[in-house]
Amino acid sequence: MSEPWSETSAAPAGPAATPKSLLEQMQELLASVTADLAELQSCGTRDAGTAGYPTGTDTSGAPAVSPGTR
């Protein structure tokens, strides 16, 4: 029985090509996620002047309450 994680959807071309190791796959995934995060952060910093928390939602001065109490 074939496991879904053992199949590669983007296998290199050629009969002598070896499948990528798990380490290589994880490095590519990390690079992709890092690039996506950098793009999201650049979008966030560009809009930081206009975006923010809604007015009246700052609770930093509120008294501390134990979890589970009202």
Side-chain angles (χ1 to χ4, degrees):
M1 176 185 228
S2 177
E3 300 296 335
W5 57 83
S6 65
E7 298 175 12
T8 57
S9 60
T18 58
K20 293 181 181 178
S21 70
L22 181 59
L23 176 60
E24 291 171 326
Q25 293 176 25
M26 293 297 104
Q27 287 172 333
E28 289 180 1
L29 178 62
L30 179 60
S32 175
V33 169
T34 301
D36 290 345
L37 180 59
E39 182 181 348
L40 287 172
Q41 288 175 333
S42 69
C43 290
T45 56
R46 181 181 57 209
D47 298 333
T50 58
Y53 292 105
T55 305
T57 59
D58 183 11
T59 59
S60 60
V65 178
S66 300
T69 61
R70 294 182 184 236

